[in-house]
Amino acid sequence: MAFCYMCGEEITEDNKHSEHVIPNGIAGKLRSSTILHEKCGEQLGHSIDAHFCKKFALLLALFNTKRDRESNPNATCSVEIDSFGSIDCSVKSGRLYVKGVKLDEMNKKIYCSPLSKNNLIKRYPDWCFVTELPFDECVVNSLLDFDDDSRLGLAKIAVEYALSLGLDASLLDAAFCVKQKKFLDVEVVPYYPRNKFERMIDETAWYFEKSRIAGRESVTVNAELPRHSLHLFSEGKLLCCYVSLFSYFDYYVVLSNSYVGNRISEWHIESVVKSTPYCSEYDLTSLDPKEVSICAQHWDMDVHDVWDKAQKAKQNDKKNVGILRKDIRTDYIKKEPAAYISSIADDLLYSINCIASCGGDYSKFVPIEVRNCIAKYVENESAMLEIMRGALWLLKDNIVDLNKYKTYFLSGGTEMLIVEYVRNNMDTISLDISEFRKNQLHSVIGSSEILYPTVDE
């Protein structure tokens, strides 16, 4: 028997509601039908989820997201310009292009699309035309901003994840008031990596993921980035939920400081995307029967159809002279959280060993971005030893220990909670945390077109 945590009524077949623990508005897929009935679910969707999800609308446009109850969002967003107002933009290749026409008469400035500029430039020869907006100035700060809607949205995700795992609402006394049926002004602590190896996993994951989906002979894509992650864990009387959205918006939500239940450590990781566009290309200029046969097998087409397409392409397309391309949309293949994170860790360890042990002959096999990351942290032998100690502590039989990952760090031989460290040192590390989160967001934005390029439907 299940009861709605907001109103206390029994959940029945007539009123049950499939609640998105991570909101559908940000492409969340984890759902529970035992925590809310339909009416309360709709109310929370309007009062909390709608405001919280609006913050991430741009990221939904950047990636090939697919929400459960809606089609993929259009690659558009609205950007606020100080002292002027809202500008509608389209998103393509990680850049913001102005849509429509808006005149800033005070500053003699016109915000418009490139096409509109060509039509207006003779009419307004002395005006400044703006056809593209910079991400840093217009977007990054708003995506990093933490406001009351952010706090409430994270609290709801954390509370509902705990409830979906079977915890009683009374155990979440620092985040939700059972008597008043409302969310509290919950303590939210930013994540900050203390293990250098763990930090390097975050920084290099994008480049290893890029190499995984760049192959031309396979349509199997491990589309894990960006991702949403949840980790409900307890230590003594402290009960927390680590919430990471889009691989950069990372916080610990304190659910209780007086927890009396069993020790818990439960992870959930999901990709923001369900599928990725993949462009397959074959050079059939020579009309080699073997190449035509391979192409037909790969594309699951009749050999004669491919032959006809190649002949027509060679005759009609003077530029490509027989190069055939096909956009293939592949299914998202889910991995277990430990297996996915461990695959990145394994690639990183291999790269470190190539550079440290084998010298220049082998380092050429390491992507330049990964080499730069390793060089940033491996300043000397002492730094290398620290990184390797962190790796050995985090890994168990070459698998990342999820009880430790993003949760503990090793200090002087003692395991310590990251959330407690940040709590006690916030005054001295706040600038470092801001810089870390900004770098993570830049990685997300910069990788959007690399990992999931725009494909015309």
Side-chain angles (χ1 to χ4, degrees):
M1 187 178 296
F3 296 90
C4 175
Y5 77 89
M6 284 302 297
C7 69
E9 290 186 15
E10 183 182 351
I11 297 174
T12 66
E13 286 296 322
D14 294 331
N15 66 14
K16 72 177 182 179
H17 167 71
S18 183
E19 170 70 1
H20 282 78
V21 174
I22 300 174
N24 180 52
I26 54 174
K29 303 172 185 68
L30 177 63
R31 293 188 284 183
S32 174
S33 58
T34 61
I35 60 177
L36 280 173
H37 69 44
E38 188 174 14
K39 184 177 179 181
C40 288
E42 291 177 354
Q43 289 176 347
L44 289 179
H46 292 301
S47 63
I48 296 180
D49 291 349
H51 300 287
F52 182 58
C53 296
K54 185 178 179 182
K55 177 187 191 72
F56 302 102
L58 174 63
L59 293 181
L60 290 173
L62 277 175
F63 292 96
N64 177 37
T65 59
K66 188 173 183 180
R67 290 175 279 185
D68 287 343
R69 292 192 293 265
E70 300 171 38
S71 59
N72 289 354
N74 294 323
T76 60
C77 66
S78 182
V79 175
E80 292 294 326
I81 304 294
D82 291 342
S83 72
F84 180 66
S86 179
I87 301 289
D88 291 330
C89 297
S90 60
V91 184
K92 187 176 182 180
S93 303
R95 302 170 75 176
L96 287 172
Y97 296 98
V98 178
K99 292 183 66 179
V101 178
K102 275 204 170 184
L103 275 64
D104 181 356
E105 296 184 2
M106 182 179 296
N107 298 305
K108 298 187 71 174
K109 188 180 293 186
I110 299 177
Y111 295 92
C112 65
S113 65
L115 181 61
S116 297
K117 176 183 176 180
N118 294 334
N119 297 330
L120 294 171
I121 197 165
K122 291 183 178 180
R123 185 176 175 185
Y124 300 93
D126 300 327
W127 286 49
C128 174
F129 286 83
V130 179
T131 59
E132 181 181 347
L133 300 177
F135 261 102
D136 282 354
E137 179 184 339
C138 302
V139 175
V140 170
N141 289 337
S142 65
L143 286 171
L144 291 173
D145 184 44
F146 188 88
D147 52 20
D148 290 340
D149 288 335
S150 302
R151 185 182 304 278
L152 194 55
L154 291 175
K156 178 175 177 288
I157 291 173
V159 166
E160 292 191 348
Y161 183 50
L163 294 174
S164 72
L165 292 173
L167 271 70
D168 192 270
S170 62
L171 296 173
L172 317 177
D173 56 331
F176 185 76
C177 179
V178 176
K179 288 184 178 180
Q180 298 180 1
K181 304 296 183 185
K182 71 173 186 177
F183 291 94
L184 303 175
D185 188 15
V186 66
E187 180 184 5
V188 178
V189 180
Y191 163 72
Y192 181 62
R194 292 289 295 153
N195 183 328
K196 285 187 177 180
F197 183 72
E198 184 174 284
R199 184 166 188 164
M200 292 170 73
I201 290 175
D202 285 342
E203 292 191 20
T204 56
W206 295 97
Y207 305 115
F208 290 126
E209 189 76 354
K210 173 185 174 184
S211 68
R212 283 185 174 84
I213 71 171
R216 290 176 55 187
E217 298 305 320
S218 173
V219 296
T220 300
V221 175
N222 175 26
E224 295 283 354
L225 292 172
R227 62 179 183 256
H228 298 324
S229 308
L230 303 174
H231 181 209
L232 183 69
F233 64 93
S234 64
E235 178 63 52
K237 293 185 176 181
L238 181 67
L239 178 67
C240 282
C241 186
Y242 165 76
V243 181
S244 174
L245 303 177
F246 294 98
S247 298
Y248 88 94
F249 201 73
D250 302 354
Y251 288 92
Y252 300 99
V253 179
V254 179
L255 296 174
S256 179
N257 288 297
S258 55
Y259 178 65
V260 293
N262 296 326
R263 188 167 187 177
I264 189 170
S265 177
E266 293 287 345
W267 272 91
H268 172 79
I269 296 178
E270 61 182 44
S271 172
V272 172
V273 297
K274 282 191 175 179
S275 63
T276 59
Y278 169 83
C279 182
S280 178
E281 179 180 288
Y282 279 92
D283 186 349
L284 301 181
T285 306
S286 63
L287 294 178
D288 184 334
K290 182 180 179 180
E291 289 294 323
V292 172
S293 177
I294 292 173
C295 178
Q297 184 178 7
H298 185 184
W299 288 357
D300 194 24
M301 291 177 61
D302 185 90
V303 173
H304 299 291
D305 291 340
V306 175
W307 182 270
D308 290 342
K309 286 174 69 72
Q311 286 185 315
K312 290 178 181 178
K314 191 170 183 179
Q315 293 171 3
N316 303 327
D317 191 341
K318 303 298 182 183
K319 183 177 181 181
N320 292 320
V321 291
I323 296 177
L324 298 187
R325 295 183 180 86
K326 182 178 181 181
D327 293 329
I328 302 174
R329 196 165 295 282
T330 61
D331 291 331
Y332 160 62
I333 299 175
K334 183 176 176 57
K335 280 188 176 182
E336 288 300 315
Y340 170 67
I341 298 167
S342 298
S343 68
I344 299 295
D346 188 57
D347 287 342
L348 178 57
L349 271 179
Y350 172 78
S351 300
I352 292 173
N353 287 328
C354 276
I355 293 174
S357 305
C358 305
D361 291 340
Y362 287 88
S363 65
K364 65 184 179 182
F365 297 112
V366 179
I368 182 64
E369 299 94 341
V370 179
R371 270 184 277 161
N372 290 340
C373 176
I374 294 171
K376 182 169 64 175
Y377 289 101
V378 184
E379 302 168 349
N380 48 47
E381 187 175 344
S382 175
M384 172 64 80
L385 289 173
E386 180 186 352
I387 289 168
M388 295 310 294
R389 277 196 299 269
L392 292 173
W393 170 79
L394 187 61
L395 300 174
K396 185 178 181 180
D397 298 328
N398 293 324
I399 299 295
V400 169
D401 186 344
L402 288 183
N403 293 319
K404 298 176 180 178
Y405 182 64
K406 304 274 190 176
T407 308
Y408 294 90
F409 70 99
L410 199 61
S411 177
T414 303
E415 290 185 358
M416 299 182 64
L417 281 171
I418 297 175
V419 63
E420 291 285 23
Y421 172 83
V422 176
R423 268 176 154 183
N424 298 330
N425 296 275
M426 194 63 188
D427 290 342
T428 57
I429 64 174
S430 59
L431 291 178
D432 290 339
I433 292 174
S434 297
E435 190 63 27
F436 166 74
R437 292 182 61 228
K438 186 179 291 185
N439 289 337
Q440 287 295 96
L441 177 55
H442 277 295
S443 294
V444 173
I445 293 173
S447 299
S448 62
E449 186 66 16
I450 295 173
L451 297 183
Y452 312 112
T454 303
V455 175
D456 295 330
E457 298 288 350

